[in-house]
Amino acid sequence: MRIFSVTSHDLPPKLTTAPDCTPGRGEILVRNRACGLNFADLLMMRGKYQDTPALPFTLGMEVAGVVEALGPGTGGPPPGTRVAVFGGSGGLADLGTYPADRTVPLPDAVDDISAAALQIAYGTSHVALDHKARLQPGETLVVLGAAGGVGLTAVELGHLMGATVVAIARGTEKLEVARAAGADHLIDAEDPDIRGRIKALGGADVVYDAVGGDLFRAAFRAMKPEGRILVIGHASGDVPQVPANHLLVKNIDLLGFYWGGYMSFRPKVVTDSLATLLQWAAEGRIKPHVSQVLPLERAQEGLDLLKSRASTGKVVITL
């Protein structure tokens, strides 16, 4: 089988061949059909990601494919079933073995490319908003970095979940993208009084923060009592320090969130979420924006698109 393999953190990955893999106990063998690329793949290549596998390893975190075989003592899903699975790695190969409890059957109405593209971006926002922050219909959700990859899914899903969505992004063009995704109110990230703008809308019940820095500090000061702040990432490079006494006085919850971490201690949270998202995709309620679809032979080109930020949506590799 073909594999896109990382053999050194100092060298680029290379397309090579390896013997077909065999599923162990509790595993399934999947013929991979599509694999979504992620910024985390770039970090893995350099050994900088928190879940980087031991060398050598095959890149590719989120895949869609068809079950070919079951390992010993594994109950399903049966061979021939189309599935989506977050494997963490191994997706840029013709075949992959994955824990059976990480797989979710694909509805007929969801194609392989969409299934590979939505898992991490939509999964991050859905588990964060639904499971972690317990977002309720009618609450006010403030999304920082609302036009970014995960930020835009937070806008879209917050709207679907019945929240009033306040999108904060830099510039008119990005704000209009957020509006098209379902944002009710738009605030430019360059506005000198972001706190005041949020307060004028009644304050925030939930803040979704993938940015950090000054935007976090402004949104933090505009929280309602019993508000919840989701710490998703720090794209600004500025990791804010939180005064714990303010959490106490305002009864605010500060919620750290790492979607991939659930696979090590509560994988059902992720698979239940993925089943919901796939059903929404089948119903046409969500549709991931895929900007490039490339064959495995051009996987490096896809990674270069991510590195240069030249892609406007998801990059998916087909096999």
Side-chain angles (χ1 to χ4, degrees), residues 2-68:
R2 299 171 301 163
I3 61 172
F4 194 62
S5 178
V6 177
T7 58
S8 168
H9 295 310
D10 299 318
L11 297 173
K14 61 181 180 179
L15 184 61
T16 184
T17 59
D20 289 357
C21 47
T22 302
R25 183 171 296 276
E27 292 184 330
I28 61 171
L29 177 67
V30 174
R31 182 162 294 279
N32 298 323
R33 287 181 168 177
C35 178
L37 297 185
N38 293 274
F39 189 77
D41 290 308
L42 300 176
L43 297 177
M44 278 190 194
M45 288 164 49
R46 304 197 304 269
K48 302 296 186 181
Y49 190 62
Q50 58 261 34
D51 288 330
T52 299
L55 293 169
F57 65 90
T58 301
L59 288 172
M61 304 177 75
E62 51 185 343
V63 300
V66 179
V67 178
E68 290 231 331

Side-chain angles (χ1 to χ4, degrees), residues 124-135 141-144 154 205-212 216 223 227-234 252-258 262:
T124 294
S125 291
H126 185 251
V127 176
L129 295 175
D130 182 61
H131 173 76
K132 195 76 171 181
R134 309 173 307 281
L135 180 67
L141 167 66
V142 174
V143 180
L144 310 183
D205 293 295
V206 175
V207 171
Y208 182 102
D209 176 33
V211 179
F216 173 94
M223 296 294 295
R228 291 89 74 198
I229 300 184
L230 287 159
V231 180
I232 307 294
H234 311 103
I252 292 174
D253 293 338
L254 186 65
L255 306 172
F257 180 75
Y258 168 44
Y262 277 89

Side-chain angles (χ1 to χ4, degrees), residues 4-305:
F4 194 62
S5 178
V6 177
T7 58
S8 168
H9 295 310
D10 299 318
L11 297 173
K14 61 181 180 179
L15 184 61
T16 184
T17 59
D20 289 357
C21 47
T22 302
R25 183 171 296 276
E27 292 184 330
I28 61 171
L29 177 67
V30 174
R31 182 162 294 279
N32 298 323
R33 287 181 168 177
C35 178
L37 297 185
N38 293 274
F39 189 77
D41 290 308
L42 300 176
L43 297 177
M44 278 190 194
M45 288 164 49
R46 304 197 304 269
K48 302 296 186 181
Y49 190 62
Q50 58 261 34
D51 288 330
T52 299
L55 293 169
F57 65 90
T58 301
L59 288 172
M61 304 177 75
E62 51 185 343
V63 300
V66 179
V67 178
E68 290 231 331
L70 305 178
T74 305
T81 305
R82 296 176 62 238
V83 295
V85 57
F86 173 76
S89 61
L92 292 179
D94 289 313
L95 296 167
T97 55
Y98 308 103
D101 63 1
R102 291 191 179 192
T103 61
V104 176
L106 285 180
D108 291 340
V110 180
D111 62 85
D112 297 322
I113 291 171
S114 295
L118 66 77
Q119 296 179 51
I120 294 176
Y122 280 91
T124 294
S125 291
H126 185 251
V127 176
L129 295 175
D130 182 61
H131 173 76
K132 195 76 171 181
R134 309 173 307 281
L135 180 67
Q136 300 299 310
E139 289 191 318
T140 297
L141 167 66
V142 174
V143 180
L144 310 183
V150 293
L152 202 58
T153 64
V155 171
E156 188 176 354
L157 294 179
H159 174 74
L160 282 176
M161 295 166 70
T164 297
V165 181
V166 181
I168 300 180
R170 184 165 283 105
T172 302
E173 184 177 349
K174 290 184 176 181
L175 288 171
E176 287 304 317
V177 171
R179 186 198 300 277
D184 300 284
H185 304 281
L186 309 175
I187 301 175
D188 195 301
E190 300 289 350
D191 191 302
D193 188 20
I194 289 174
R195 173 181 178 267
R197 293 286 305 279
I198 297 172
K199 294 282 283 185
L201 295 170
D205 293 295
V206 175
V207 171
Y208 182 102
D209 176 33
V211 179
D214 289 339
L215 288 181
F216 173 94
R217 286 183 276 271
F220 180 79
R221 295 171 62 214
M223 296 294 295
K224 295 180 183 179
E226 294 196 324
R228 291 89 74 198
I229 300 184
L230 287 159
V231 180
I232 307 294
H234 311 103
S236 68
D238 180 350
V239 180
Q241 304 302 303
V242 179
N245 60 316
H246 291 192
L247 298 175
L248 182 155
V249 171
K250 294 187 70 174
N251 286 289
I252 292 174
D253 293 338
L254 186 65
L255 306 172
F257 180 75
Y258 168 44
W259 181 80
Y262 277 89
M263 282 303 187
S264 65
F265 65 94
R266 287 188 68 186
K268 194 172 185 298
V269 169
V270 172
T271 54
D272 285 351
S273 167
L274 180 54
T276 297
L277 292 169
L278 289 170
Q279 185 57 42
W280 285 354
E283 295 168 358
R285 300 175 70 186
I286 60 173
K287 184 171 179 59
H289 174 44
V290 177
S291 57
Q292 280 91 14
V293 178
L294 303 170
L296 182 60
E297 292 80 5
R298 296 172 64 187
Q300 184 61 57
E301 181 182 336
L303 292 169
D304 290 342
L305 287 169

